[in-house]
Amino acid sequence: MINQQQLWDDDAAKRYDTPGEGMFSAEVLGPTVEVLSKLAGDGPAVEFAIGTGRVAIPLSEAGVPVSGIELSHAMIARLRQKVGEARIPVVHGDMTEARAGDNFSLAFLVFNTISNLLTQEEQIRCFQNAARHLAPVGCFVVELWVPQLRSLPPGHGGTVEVSEPGYLLVDTYDVLHQHVISHHVRFGPELSGGRDARIARTPHRYIWPSELDLMARLAGFVLESRWADWDRNEFSAESRTHVSVYRLASH
């Protein structure tokens, strides 16, 4: 089993933030915060795997009280360089069981992080933990990639997902166990004069949208909305990602 504490270490935390670019760009964060703010309404929100505060900080700035759960000490330390505990309290622990309180209007888990849980049982427990945090009819939002197995050629175990100057992303699959390892290869003049490359690997358990819906039902949720992205474009068979909104079923 991969040690997630070692995976998200000091070096990973330092390299995680890319202010104004990529997933930290206004084009990404603006729609994300807009959707989450609307779903939270007048209530507080809790982010599972809060990381360095990429989403939590701008959501807090938008007026939503935010708490978090995070397994990595290094990621929490990076967050604390930006905001204090009084503004965004964070509980150190596993998002399948750690408790940050209750009666939240919104729980959310973004940027594929539920796939960092490497067994189906852990992923179900994550949904159950989200339910424990929520007020009646509160909602749980999950942002996740759609498995791209159609791009996997017969007899091959991997695909090149990104190829750009200085960076390659290669995914290798174990389809029997629904596991994929993302190999991040970075190279260029800034790495030892361009003579070497740096490789990082992140493991995931991929989840089909229908399987995710069943996990939600087991935890007492019903699917309320599903979009292809935070701009709320229609989800289709060609979508590579989805944002799914689950609501606690009323009794």
Side-chain angles (χ1 to χ4, degrees):
M1 182 67 68
I2 297 291
N3 187 315
Q4 295 288 339
Q5 195 70 258
Q6 294 177 352
L7 183 64
W8 301 106
D9 59 9
D10 290 336
D11 184 58
K14 290 176 183 177
R15 292 187 285 106
Y16 190 80
D17 291 359
T18 56
E21 300 179 356
M23 62 182 180
F24 283 81
S25 69
E27 292 79 9
V28 173
L29 286 176
T32 304
V33 170
E34 180 184 353
V35 169
L36 294 176
S37 296
K38 183 176 181 179
L39 291 171
D42 296 327
V46 57
E47 181 174 6
F48 285 18
I50 194 171
T52 67
R54 178 181 72 93
V55 175
I57 292 174
L59 186 61
S60 173
E61 291 171 345
V64 177
V66 183
S67 300
I69 295 172
E70 175 56 52
L71 183 62
S72 166
H73 286 293
M75 300 294 265
I76 295 174
R78 185 77 173 177
L79 171 62
R80 286 288 164 254
Q81 294 175 9
K82 307 173 191 178
V83 296
E85 177 75 15
R87 179 174 162 193
I88 300 181
V90 176
V91 173
H92 172 254
D94 189 322
M95 61 185 170
T96 65
E97 58 186 22
R99 293 294 297 273
D102 52 25
N103 286 316
F104 289 94
S105 297
L106 169 69
F108 63 98
L109 183 53
V110 299
F111 204 60
N112 308 319
T113 315
I114 193 171
S115 68
N116 288 349
L117 302 172
L118 300 181
T119 68
Q120 186 184 70
E121 178 59 31
E122 289 177 307
Q123 292 167 347
I124 292 171
R125 294 208 314 267
C126 181
F127 270 93
Q128 293 169 334
N129 196 28
R132 288 190 289 267
H133 279 79
L134 292 172
V137 301
C139 65
F140 183 35
V141 178
V142 178
E143 178 190 15
L144 188 59
W145 57 287
V146 177
Q148 297 298 307
L149 295 191
R150 287 185 299 176
S151 64
L152 193 64
H156 293 265
T159 60
V160 177
E161 294 297 316
V162 179
S163 176
E164 58 188 32
Y167 177 67
L168 284 175
L169 170 59
V170 178
D171 284 345
T172 55
Y173 287 82
D174 173 357
V175 296
L176 181 63
H177 300 98
Q178 289 184 212
H179 283 172
V180 58
I181 297 179
S182 294
H183 307 261
H184 306 270
V185 184
R186 292 178 172 86
F187 52 92
E190 70 279 5
L191 294 177
S192 301
R195 292 187 296 273
D196 297 316
R198 182 174 61 216
I199 302 176
R201 297 178 176 88
T202 54
H204 311 274
R205 181 185 184 272
Y206 59 82
I207 316 169
W208 300 102
S210 57
E211 183 187 9
L212 198 73
D213 294 347
L214 183 56
M215 292 179 184
R217 290 179 65 86
L218 291 172
F221 291 98
V222 293
L223 179 66
E224 181 175 271
S225 303
R226 172 167 288 141
W227 308 297
D229 50 41
W230 291 104
D231 290 312
R232 289 170 281 192
N233 289 308
E234 182 180 359
F235 180 76
S236 73
E238 303 306 316
S239 298
R240 296 178 67 91
T241 63
H242 62 94
V243 175
S244 297
V245 180
Y246 297 99
R247 183 79 59 178
L248 275 178
S250 57
H251 297 286

